[in-house]
Amino acid sequence: MMFPDHSRPFNTTYKCYSVSMLPGNERQDVENGGKIIMPPSALDQLTRLNVVYPMLFKITNGSINRSTHAGVLEFVADEGKIYMPYWMMHNLALEQGDIVEIESVSIPVATYSKFQPQSVEFLDITNPKAVLENCLRNFACLTTGDLIAINYNNTTYELSVLETKPGPAVTIIECDMNVEFAPPIGYTEPERREKEEEPMTIDPTELMPEPTGFVAFKGEGTRLDGKKKKDNGTNDVLPVQRQAYVRGIPDYDHPYGLLRFDRSVRKLDQIEPKSDDTKFQEFQGEGCSLKKNRK
């Protein structure tokens, strides 16, 4: 008779150190993510226990009963030690060499998460969702209440995980997750002021062209006796009579998105010649005598 091979939990303790204490070259990829480095013996033990993949762990600081979740990046640490990002040690209030408990867990796949930036400088990012999506590729889990750190454009931004669904701890490996942002700490909503309608500073009639051609009574008067006119302080210059301003009426039936350019050229023979009667002719009036003729 075959018995089902149930996986047993992995539970052990290690001394924790930050990634900066890892021997060898600097591992900036570990510092900018949410995964830890464990010793090779842990991989051997996990393989014997048939732990479900992906390997996810609950990290607990038993002295203050605070925990978070993380994935594993490599199994190259010294025996009895694990290395984790500094922001993760800060969340668990750990110092270099403190003892932590590591337990293998299975958590649901994330469907929703909400973050709150810890500074208003986060608003300077043009597309924050795209930046966050790219940075979360180095993470395996999210835990409600954690304060994660992402690096973008040589600047480190801290984000508080306010909410995760469907549970307080979720995995974000190969998932379709909706992301929302809360207003950053210290952000104040700008006051909205209604714009007051300002009166037109320019009279439309002033934009009309001045009349061309003959303008009646535009000249200056002269005395017959040659004397100068008396200056009574009034301005004798009559205002220029401009054309009446008529506001255009839009074509409300014009189809949307259609532009019309009238490039038709009328031939000279199609242009109606203007009659000469409309032109001004000088001295065409009839004369009158002030004295009556004697019969």
Side-chain angles (χ1 to χ4, degrees):
M1 182 177 179
M2 298 295 294
F3 294 94
D5 187 10
H6 295 288
S7 61
R8 291 172 292 173
F10 171 85
N11 194 334
T12 186
T13 58
Y14 293 98
K15 290 184 177 180
C16 69
Y17 296 91
S18 64
V19 180
S20 59
M21 303 293 291
L22 182 66
N25 298 329
E26 183 180 1
R27 298 294 301 272
Q28 196 65 31
D29 56 334
V30 184
E31 189 65 48
N32 296 332
K35 299 179 181 180
I36 62 176
I37 296 180
M38 302 179 68
S41 59
L43 176 61
D44 181 62
Q45 188 176 357
L46 288 167
T47 305
R48 296 174 183 274
L49 295 176
N50 295 326
V51 176
V52 180
Y53 288 85
M55 295 182 182
L56 304 176
F57 302 93
K58 180 180 180 181
I59 308 174
T60 305
N61 182 2
S63 59
I64 60 174
N65 196 21
R66 183 178 297 180
S67 62
T68 186
H69 297 78
V72 59
L73 183 63
E74 295 177 357
F75 294 91
V76 296
D78 297 334
E79 292 298 331
K81 299 179 182 179
I82 62 169
Y83 297 92
M84 62 178 61
Y86 178 76
W87 65 264
M88 192 177 296
M89 294 187 63
H90 181 72
N91 285 340
L92 297 176
L94 294 171
E95 298 292 340
Q96 303 289 348
D98 286 352
I99 301 297
V100 293
E101 180 183 355
I102 305 294
E103 179 184 0
S104 62
V105 292
S106 178
I107 54 181
V109 178
T111 58
Y112 170 84
S113 61
K114 187 174 183 180
F115 300 88
Q116 183 182 30
Q118 299 300 294
S119 64
V120 293
E121 282 99 12
F122 188 77
L123 299 177
D124 298 336
I125 300 177
T126 305
N127 192 346
K129 284 190 176 182
V131 172
L132 181 62
E133 179 182 358
N134 185 50
C135 294
L136 288 181
R137 294 176 181 176
N138 298 325
F139 288 73
C141 308
L142 288 177
T143 306
T144 301
D146 275 0
L147 189 67
I148 67 174
I150 62 174
N151 187 276
Y152 173 71
N153 201 15
N154 297 327
T155 305
T156 301
Y157 300 94
E158 292 185 340
L159 301 175
S160 176
V161 184
L162 298 181
E163 184 180 0
T164 56
K165 292 181 181 179
V170 292
T171 174
I172 57 175
I173 299 176
E174 297 181 358
C175 69
D176 187 9
M177 179 177 63
N178 296 324
V179 177
E180 287 186 2
F181 291 99
I185 294 178
Y187 173 76
T188 56
E189 190 74 21
E191 297 180 359
R192 296 183 179 180
R193 297 182 180 179
E194 297 182 358
K195 295 183 178 180
E196 299 179 357
E197 295 184 359
E198 299 180 356
M200 296 183 64
T201 57
I202 300 178
D203 189 0
T205 57
E206 297 180 0
L207 303 177
M208 300 299 295
E210 295 185 2
T212 58
F214 171 72
V215 180
F217 307 107
K218 192 176 181 181
E220 297 181 356
T222 306
R223 292 174 60 98
L224 296 177
D225 54 5
K227 295 182 180 180
K228 294 182 179 181
K229 296 185 297 180
K230 293 182 179 180
D231 189 5
N232 53 5
T234 59
N235 189 6
D236 296 336
V237 180
L238 297 176
V240 179
Q241 298 293 330
R242 298 177 182 268
Q243 299 179 7
Y245 172 74
V246 180
R247 184 175 181 179
I249 301 176
D251 184 9
Y252 294 104
D253 297 330
H254 185 82
Y256 177 77
L258 177 62
L259 298 178
R260 294 177 180 174
F261 299 95
D262 188 7
R263 301 180 182 271
S264 59
V265 180
R266 299 177 61 186
K267 297 182 180 180
L268 295 177
D269 54 357
Q270 296 179 356
I271 301 176
E272 298 180 357
K274 295 184 179 179
S275 60
D276 296 338
D277 298 339
T278 59
K279 295 182 179 180
F280 173 73
Q281 298 180 1
E282 297 83 357
F283 307 108
Q284 296 298 319
E286 297 181 357
C288 296
S289 177
L290 298 177
K291 295 181 180 181
K292 296 181 180 180
N293 295 331
R294 294 180 181 180
K295 296 182 180 179

